[in-house]
């Protein structure tokens, strides 16, 4: 009886070897990918303007740098533990809202009538969900209420008493408006009103009087942008607005697309500066559009909008920008900007003066 020996063809053998090698390669690639460090990053700002070293004591500079570093590290720890970019943005902004050093929350400037009106906004890069509040007077941390509007309401922006009524309906505590009082902001209001009244007597033109105010009276904001380990971007901005503002003036900080924008397909932006210009030129969204549709880097897009478009028409201020690869731009056309950033595995970097 003859035995039949089954022959294995060369093509079959080659195919089997190919599958084996391909499988090994996939396993190796997966192992290599799994061993890569997680990519996440955060950037913050505490406002742009005429910030000169000569006008600041060494003690004041140390205080600002310490608070900026605290804000960065607070958000960074959340990202490092796998937390969301939204949580990191809110936590970092809370640190600055709770400090009298910045024009947001506790350090908010005064209106012309001697009260405080606060604005904030937040945006989720995953789905462009957004929330904002404007002209609130009794909310300690407006960025928290902006997030609540985004997550717990069908709206994007709420203002004034309505925003506060919504906050109460969600159990958020109210604070007295005078809890935002600080002596140095009171002195700023006094000087601003003197300048406004003088200009108004000379020109009898309120708009011209406001335009004549020095830049520090028209600026002041805090903000953060973050990228989490899941690859999601978020941006948030909070402010006390413009010193001696009247008639319920609202700046760019609560306006989605002007002061805040985030989209995983492009970038996340938080802005600070003369709000009317940032609204008119749709600054935050314009930067992200250039990244998305013109394949610009965040540095290129920010430079074009801040230095080539805004500055020639008189728009002063700056932005912090972050993309899904962790690239960061801290761009401004003023003398200085309180700013800082930290990327995965790196140390916190903070700066105040100049372009570096």
């Amino acid at each position: 009886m003859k035995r039949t020996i089954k022959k294995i063809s060369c093509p079959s053998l080659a195919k089997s070897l190919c599958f084996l090698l391909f499988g090994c390669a996939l396993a190796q690639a997966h192992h290599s990918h799994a061993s890569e460090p997680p990519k996440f990053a955060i950037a913050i700002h505490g406002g742009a303007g005429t910030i000169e070293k000569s006008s600041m004591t060494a003690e004041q500079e140390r205080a600002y740098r310490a608070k900026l570093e605290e804000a960065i590290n607070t958000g960074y720890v959340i990202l490092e533990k796998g937390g969301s970019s939204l949580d990191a943005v809110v936590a970092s902004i809370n640190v600055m809202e709770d400090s009298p050093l910045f024009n947001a929350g506790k350090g908010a400037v005064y209106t012309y009538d001697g009260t405080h009106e606060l604005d904030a906004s937040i945006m989720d890069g995953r789905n462009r969900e957004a929330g904002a509040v404007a002209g609130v007077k009794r909310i300690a941390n407006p960025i928290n209420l902006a997030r609540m509007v985004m997550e717990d309401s069908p709206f994007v922006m709420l203002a004034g008493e309505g925003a506060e009524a919504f906050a109460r309906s969600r159990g958020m505590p109210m604070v007295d408006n005078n809890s935002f009082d600080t002596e140095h902001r009171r002195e700023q209001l006094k000087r601003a009103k003197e300048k406004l009244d003088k200009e108004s007597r000379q020109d009898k033109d309120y708009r011209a009087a406001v335009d004549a105010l020095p830049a520090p009276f028209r600026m002041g904001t805090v903000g953060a942008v973050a990228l989490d380990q899941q690859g999601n971007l978020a941006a948030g901005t909070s402010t006390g607005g413009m010193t001696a503002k009247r008639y319920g003036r609202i700046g760019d900080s609560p306006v989605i697309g002007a002061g805040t924008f985030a989209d995983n397909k492009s970038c996340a932006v938080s802005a600070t500066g003369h709000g009317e210009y940032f609204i008119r030129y749709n600054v935050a969204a314009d930067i992200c559009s250039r990244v998305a549709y013109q394949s610009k880097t965040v540095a290129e897009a920010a430079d074009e909008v801040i230095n080539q478009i805004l500055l020639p028409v008189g728009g002063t201020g700056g932005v912090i920008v972050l993309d899904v690869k962790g690239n960061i731009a801290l761009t401004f056309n003023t003398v200085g900007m309180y700013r800082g950033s930290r990327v995965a595995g790196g140390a916190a970097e903070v700066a105040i003066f100049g372009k570096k």
Side-chain angles (χ1 to χ4, degrees), residues 28-343:
Q28 191 174 28
H30 177 74
H31 176 74
S32 174
H33 178 73
S35 65
E36 289 180 2
K39 293 180 180 179
F40 57 93
I42 186 166
I44 67 167
H45 71 77
T50 307
I51 306 167
E52 297 177 331
K53 195 175 182 67
S54 60
S55 64
M56 188 179 294
T57 67
E59 184 179 2
Q60 288 173 328
E61 183 179 344
R62 283 194 298 272
Y64 274 108
R65 289 183 180 276
K67 191 56 65 173
L68 289 170
E69 191 167 332
E70 179 187 346
I72 293 169
N73 290 335
T74 298
Y76 181 89
V77 168
I78 291 171
L79 298 172
E80 188 177 40
K81 293 179 179 179
S84 73
S85 53
L86 284 170
D87 286 343
V89 162
V90 170
S92 290
I93 290 177
N94 282 166
V95 170
M96 293 183 283
E97 286 178 329
D98 292 340
S99 168
L101 294 174
F102 305 100
N103 179 15
K106 177 59 182 173
V109 298
Y110 285 84
T111 66
Y112 189 90
D113 296 324
T115 61
H116 308 274
E117 297 175 357
L118 289 68
D119 314 320
S121 64
I122 193 167
M123 191 165 186
D124 188 340
R126 294 175 301 175
N127 49 22
R128 290 201 185 188
E129 288 287 325
V133 293
V136 295
K137 298 181 179 180
R138 302 186 61 202
I139 306 298
N141 296 103
I143 193 67
N144 296 11
L145 182 53
R147 184 175 185 177
M148 191 177 287
V149 171
M150 176 178 72
E151 295 180 338
D152 296 346
S153 86
F155 312 115
V156 171
M157 183 184 289
L158 299 179
E161 293 180 1
E164 291 175 3
F166 173 72
R168 287 193 295 271
S169 76
R170 307 302 299 172
M172 182 173 283
M174 299 290 108
V175 299
D176 290 334
N177 191 250
N178 61 17
S179 67
F180 304 112
D181 291 355
T182 53
E183 191 56 37
H184 73 287
R185 297 299 189 196
R186 197 187 307 275
E187 283 298 314
Q188 284 183 346
L189 174 64
K190 180 181 177 181
R191 296 196 303 273
K193 291 181 73 171
E194 288 173 351
K195 291 179 181 296
L196 282 171
D197 293 344
K198 179 181 178 181
E199 292 292 334
S200 294
R201 286 195 301 271
Q202 290 176 346
D203 300 330
K204 297 182 180 180
D205 183 341
Y206 178 68
R207 177 171 180 169
V210 172
D211 288 343
L213 281 175
F217 293 116
R218 299 195 301 265
M219 299 184 187
T221 314
V222 305
V225 292
L227 169 69
D228 61 32
Q229 294 187 39
Q230 292 71 48
N232 295 316
L233 293 167
T237 311
S238 182
T239 187
M242 178 187 291
T243 303
K245 61 185 178 180
R246 304 178 80 175
Y247 313 121
R249 178 263 185 187
I250 303 297
D252 65 304
S253 294
V255 179
I256 300 303
T260 302
F261 196 79
D263 188 341
N264 285 0
K265 295 178 181 178
S266 54
C267 61
V269 179
S270 176
T272 172
H274 193 164
E276 280 67 19
Y277 288 91
F278 283 71
I279 294 172
R280 287 162 52 196
Y281 286 87
N282 201 35
V283 166
D286 188 8
I287 289 171
C288 290
S289 293
R290 291 165 190 265
V291 172
Y293 304 127
Q294 297 179 356
S295 299
K296 303 283 187 181
T297 66
V298 290
E300 290 170 339
D303 177 69
E304 287 179 358
V305 175
I306 296 300
N307 292 312
Q308 299 176 35
I309 294 177
L310 270 192
L311 189 57
V313 297
T316 52
V319 290
I320 53 174
V321 191
L322 174 64
D323 69 15
V324 290
K325 295 180 180 179
N327 297 308
I328 296 171
L330 311 173
T331 306
F332 52 100
N333 59 27
T334 52
V335 175
M337 181 171 77
Y338 298 106
R339 61 200 187 276
S341 62
R342 188 175 181 185
V343 298

